[in-house]
Amino acid sequence: MNQTSALPQNTTLLQDSFHDDLEKVSVRTVGRKATITKDELFQAALNLIGPQKSIASLSLREVAREAGIAPNSFYRHFKDIDELAIELIDRSGLVLRKILHEARIKAIKHGSIIRSSVEVFIKQLDADEGNLSLLLREGYTGSTSYKLAVEKQLNYFQQELQEDLIRIERINHSKLVHPELVAKAITQLVFNMGAKVIDLPTDERKQVAEQTMIMIRMLLEGSRHLDEAQIH
Amino acid sequence: MNQTSALPQNTTLLQDSFHDDLEKVSVRTVGRKATITKDELFQAALNLIGPQKSIASLSLREVAREAGIAPNSFYRHFKDIDELAIELIDRSGLVLRKILHEARIKAIKHGSIIRSSVEVFIKQLDADEGNLSLLLREGYTGSTSYKLAVEKQLNYFQQELQEDLIRIERINHSKLVHPELVAKAITQLVFNMGAKVIDLPTDERKQVAEQTMIMIRMLLEGSRHLDEAQIH
DNA sequence: TGTACATCAGTGAACGCGCGTTCACTGATGTAC
DNA sequence: TGTACATCAGTGAACGCGCGTTCACTGATGTAC
């Protein structure tokens, strides 16, 4: 919503500097943006993607338009739309893991790591500027290089989760069989939930979140019992 | 396989009727395909998507070209590329569920439902003409309507799985807590695995498959024990 | 069996559009003297 | 402090291209008489 209205504004902002130089004194010379940062281009891309489109469907001209620069200026910053895309994925993964890790650190003190993490994750869906939805989408679509970039981020996530899980189990004097697989499965389920939940209204989100927590509990409980029940 | 080779034939068939009317007497008049079916268009789309591209990125002209008809002829069959896409998703889901259901039915007799299902699923990745990869991809990307179409198919899948799970547990005289969530989680994990595995060589696939089976066992085992371990 | 006619899946040509990319440019900013 | 110069992020114009869609068409097939 914001973006859809922001876009025309940006466009006219550019035109304004032609037609109406009165106000735009800060931008000194005619029709020229002073300078633009990579971050502004990332933001422009995120705005455009919204909850629907995939990076692959972004056009260079769209992004440039949204950022308020001429199409050819794009090349000053990236060789390609793909180059932007991959850096954007990395950046999104970093932002996300930082937030979730902090949530888990806090949660450990309260012993409710599952609930806290899932809830933070869902809250994050709204709060962040689209970083999460980006990862969710590009992990399953897009070019091989996109997938690799996303997988790298998920692996970080999974690894951090695994360490936290092991720590908690140690505190509780129980032990997980195949903790790496538990972490992997949880990662998959949580990101899946995120992908599903992203279009839903808040009340339905809560419901999906509850279900996900039960699934996670099953995984943990199953992992604790799996040595006893050594079914082939 | 059959289709990939059938496609070029179609294309050249059209050109042949221009350049080399000698052989193509069956196609009576110059440069005209007799008639084309919806299924041929579906197949053309599947060929084009391959393991990488998403439906959304298909152009009408691409599909028409692949199918060997003029671009405007497309409109005789679908109002839109989107209309084709959604019908294609439904069709793919149906094909897939049929195969997996049969696999499970067989597996029940051998008591190895997990292993059989996962293995069939993976084998199917190669065997089918792209139906599976289609579902995997479009579930996470694409327009809302694509997502809905995929979700519908996954729900069918999940429901059938749940029924089978309940039946098996009854035979084994044990019981699952929240069988619907177990089915849901398994569905998610399996389809996730499929998405990941689709780019991998055969040997690595096996490994991912093994991991997935362990995850599924954790879920089942966890579900059986969850009543005892009634952690909040 | 033959003739007239309707139907409808196919056709080529044309349209306007947004795209990615190139070109030679401009002018603000920083550096050397 | 002032002057000369290099750098480099910005620019508008232009290109060729593939796209979706429209148009009036054609001719094979089926139906009515």
Side-chain angles (χ1 to χ4, degrees), chain B residues 144-158:
Chain B
T144 311
S145 49
Y146 290 9
K147 281 191 202 167
L148 284 178
V150 171
E151 201 185 319
K152 198 177 68 183
Q153 296 301 324
L154 288 196
N155 281 340
Y156 286 144
F157 179 90
Q158 177 185 325

Side-chain angles (χ1 to χ4, degrees), chain A residues 175-178 181 219-231, chain B residues 213-222 224-225:
Chain A
K175 199 177 156 235
L176 295 178
V177 183
H178 287 307
L181 291 185
L219 279 168
L220 291 172
E221 200 54 31
S223 170
R224 292 190 192 106
H225 286 80
L226 209 61
D227 40 0
E228 311 168 12
Q230 203 65 276
I231 5 166
Chain B
M213 291 180 218
I214 296 179
M215 293 176 189
I216 294 176
R217 256 181 259 133
M218 286 178 184
L219 279 168
L220 291 171
E221 201 54 30
R224 293 191 193 106
H225 287 81

Side-chain angles (χ1 to χ4, degrees), chain A residues 36 70 72-73 76-77:
Chain A
I36 199 173
N72 46 1
S73 302
R76 300 285 176 203
H77 303 277

Side-chain angles (χ1 to χ4, degrees), chain B residues 59-116:
Chain B
S59 82
L60 181 149
R61 286 179 107 103
E62 271 181 302
V63 175
R65 209 179 299 131
E66 176 81 7
I69 58 172
N72 46 2
S73 302
F74 184 90
Y75 296 109
R76 301 284 175 202
H77 303 277
F78 301 99
K79 124 178 186 295
D80 237 5
I81 271 284
D82 274 353
E83 193 174 286
L84 174 140
I86 290 189
E87 290 190 26
L88 187 53
I89 291 173
D90 286 349
R91 179 178 168 281
S92 294
L94 186 63
V95 169
L96 197 59
R97 282 184 296 119
K98 208 176 262 176
I99 289 165
L100 278 171
H101 182 67
E102 283 168 15
R104 281 206 304 278
I105 293 295
K106 275 188 212 154
I108 287 176
K109 296 173 190 157
H110 302 84
S112 62
I113 185 172
I114 298 174
R115 176 164 296 274
S116 310

